[in-house]
Amino acid sequence: MAQLFTKDTQAIFWNNNSTAIQRMLDYDYTIKREKPSVAAIVAPTASGKFEKFFWGADEVMIPTYKTTAEAKAAQPQADVLLNFASFRTAYDVTMEALEIGGFKSIMITAEGIPERLARKMNQTARDAGVIVIGPATVGGISPGAFKIANVGGTIENIVNSKLHRAGSCGLVTRSGGLFNELSNIIAINADGIAEGVAIGGDRFVGSVFIDNLLRMQDNPEVKYMILLGEVGGTEEYKVIEAVKSGKITKPIIAWCIGTIAKYYDSGVQFGHAGASANAAAETAEAKNKAMAEAGIYVPATFNDLPAKIAEVYGKLKAEGVIKDIAEPEMNVVPKVRRSKQFICTISDDRGEEATYAGFPISSVALPSTGKGIGDVISLLWFKKQYPKWATDFIETVIKTVADHGPAVSGAHNAKVTARAGKSVVESLVTGLLTIGPRFGGAIDGAAEHFKYADDNGLTPAEFLNHMKKLGIPIPGIGHRIKSLKNPDLRVKGLMDYAAENFPKTPLLDYARTVEALTTSKKENLILNVDGTIGILMVDMWRALGYPEEEINEFIASGTLNAFFIAGRTIGFIGHVLDEKRLAMPMYRHPMDDILYDVQKAEEI
């Protein structure tokens, strides 16, 4: 992999570090990426399904997941893991990601991971062909394509350091702070960097200097490289050997910081865990000398580094190796932004024509389109285009439940309110408010309990015992009037439709075996219309390819009852209009239909 990141690279961000994520998205917006570089956030303690972030002046929603496995399954294209877990958790998060697979690179910010664990983690990644950046790093960047978290600092600093587009230099450092400083120095004295990695300050890091420099050697965008090492370790010597053997042929400018260490009487631990010389060869002075002897460009002091960069850059440009770079157009991140209070993902009324889930209303509403109310529901409720057998089934359900006469509680309420002189909407609402566990709620309940039994492999007898232990009647079973001898034609119609049009009906088949047992005890304990609808809805979603978790979510959120609400609304309005048309007077319940049992109040 010659290029670490591209403009299509997406990452899974472990731990909701909102500041770092926003900086990544501001960078994406600035360089005009089409998709956000953060595809998902893993936040084990989060309660929501997404987090909002700014995308320029607008906002985008980044989905959140409880685990890395869930995030990776939902976002398989995301091949970078940005591990912002603490040092106590970072090892486990990385090892889990390596086991899951599908990641090309993993960045680890935590410092202080125990060395034994760090070495095991790094070797596991190396064996799997995964590039690890860190531990103890700020990350890396492919300018104009992708940047990790806080690399480069603010947008203003990024543009000033020419990190908004690719330059010619490949930069590898240990220090994250000096990475930003060097990016600026390179921008001032050359044309910026093509790729940069801060490998991390811990003693045992994943990808070392030679790994990154060999990759940059193969990257045609990189014309020369800069290595900033430090006192401690021997990784620089691997680079020296690669230069001597001809594996690296591109010019390298290098410096090891920490030359002041020779003025101390004993070994000194500098800022990083690995910044301590344990042998003469590990001193910054020895490594600088060895690199210079190998033909690497080594300045006399760190202060001379800018001049050395200008020298090498000027030489390569004069030779025609480096060409002029055209400055790309950029977006400007607004200084003042306001978060939106509402989110809508189903319709859009901006522009020439309002849309339903991305489709102009005229493309679904006009008779010539061949679309019906089932298509509109599939778009607005589920943001999917359902096939005709499914949309026709939805319409069948709505027509089936539209009305059940004036005596049921909802219709009764709507009629009484209409006779009180209230409007259609007020009368409708009073009827709708009666819909719940006892009126219409069996649709939700039937789907929930029958699905639970089927999912857990319960026999009909075991299911009946399960419901008995719960202390509730089986939702969807039983009818006051209908029975085996007097079947409900609505139920028969729904079942016949499913038999002819559904790919298969496993839950309905299971429910019929339960019905055979319940009706053997009492012939009116049949599968009723609510139960049939709820059960067939589950079969429909399964046939459409929804995962079981999402179907469970539909049931829990009341989606099934929504079909009853949509259908019964038609009937309620019919009853209200009937009352208005007949000019019916105020309703008063007859006294002879009330059992009065009023005792004289006792005196306290």
Side-chain angles (χ1 to χ4, degrees), residues 492-507:
K492 183 179 182 303
L494 290 167
M495 289 185 179
D496 288 346
Y497 180 87
E500 293 174 14
N501 297 281
F502 278 41
K504 53 184 179 178
T505 56
L507 193 59

Side-chain angles (χ1 to χ4, degrees), residues 12-71:
I12 292 172
F13 205 107
W14 207 101
N15 220 353
N16 188 11
N17 187 320
S18 57
T19 300
I21 294 171
Q22 186 60 66
R23 281 189 168 181
M24 287 182 69
L25 299 184
D26 284 347
Y27 182 75
D28 297 342
Y29 178 77
T30 299
I31 65 172
K32 295 190 171 185
R33 269 185 62 120
E34 290 185 6
K35 296 179 293 186
S37 55
V38 179
I41 301 168
V42 178
T45 60
S47 56
K49 294 184 177 180
F50 63 87
E51 292 287 340
K52 287 196 306 174
F53 292 92
F54 286 110
W55 183 263
D58 214 332
E59 288 179 294
V60 291
M61 296 184 295
I62 307 296
T64 59
Y65 302 91
K66 297 286 187 183
T67 67
T68 307
E70 289 177 6

Side-chain angles (χ1 to χ4, degrees), residues 94 98 104-108 121-122 125-126 130-135 199 205-208 212:
T94 302
L98 292 170
K104 292 181 180 177
S105 58
I106 298 174
M107 187 278 303
I108 307 166
M121 175 180 71
N122 294 335
R126 195 172 286 273
V130 177
I131 297 171
V132 170
I133 303 173
I199 66 170
V205 294
S207 63
V208 293
N212 290 284

